[in-house]
Amino acid sequence: MDGIAILYPLLGHMLLVISLYILLIMRKSKAIKAKAVDFNKTALNNKAWPEDVVQVSNNLDNQFESPLVFYGLCIITVLVGAVNGFAIGLSVAYVVFRYIHAYVHVGTNYIPYRLRAFALSLVAMLLLLIQTSVHIMMNI
């Protein structure tokens, strides 16, 4: 198994982050054109933007929380030689659930669906952590 294959889901997540920044720019531009922005307030308060802008901004914040742990875990998994089909599958699942979470968050923002996607991404990451930890312990 190619050890770096687990890094492809990381690249997929980076694409999600860049896509969210593009969406944020589009929504901010739309709000500015609609004159729905008080520049004095938005200069210092991200929450002063219209709700659809805040949704994307809040989701971007989420993309720098558990995903940073995921990035580190994937790199550790490569470094200790624990990459296998199961680890790659868990990494792909984690990123797919992050995409679902982002889609719900910037769309309907329906909390039960958002929570479910978030929880499933954490389960995938926990299983990857367990798999990598077991590999490390068995190879000490």
Side-chain angles (χ1 to χ4, degrees), residues 40-54:
N40 291 326
K41 290 181 181 177
T42 58
L44 297 174
N45 182 1
N46 214 20
K47 305 302 181 204
W49 285 90
E51 188 176 287
D52 67 329
V53 174
V54 174

Side-chain angles (χ1 to χ4, degrees), residues 31-126:
I32 291 167
K33 287 178 186 170
K35 298 186 187 324
V37 179
D38 179 340
F39 292 113
N40 291 326
K41 290 181 181 177
T42 58
L44 297 174
N45 182 1
N46 214 20
K47 305 302 181 204
W49 285 90
E51 188 176 287
D52 67 329
V53 174
V54 174
Q55 281 178 278
V56 178
S57 182
N58 286 350
N59 188 260
L60 273 164
D61 289 346
N62 290 169
Q63 300 307 329
F64 292 97
E65 294 168 355
S66 76
L68 291 182
V69 176
F70 172 70
Y71 285 19
L73 179 55
C74 286
I75 291 167
I76 290 167
T77 302
V78 170
L79 292 175
V80 300
V83 176
N84 56 31
F86 184 62
I88 293 169
L90 289 170
S91 297
V92 169
Y94 176 84
V95 172
V96 166
F97 288 126
R98 295 305 301 169
Y99 269 84
I100 294 168
H101 178 268
Y103 179 78
V104 173
H105 200 171
V106 303
T108 64
N109 203 19
Y110 185 62
I111 300 297
Y113 292 161
R114 245 180 67 197
L115 178 60
R116 196 168 296 133
F118 178 75
L120 289 170
S121 72
L122 288 181
V123 168
M125 186 166 49
L126 175 61

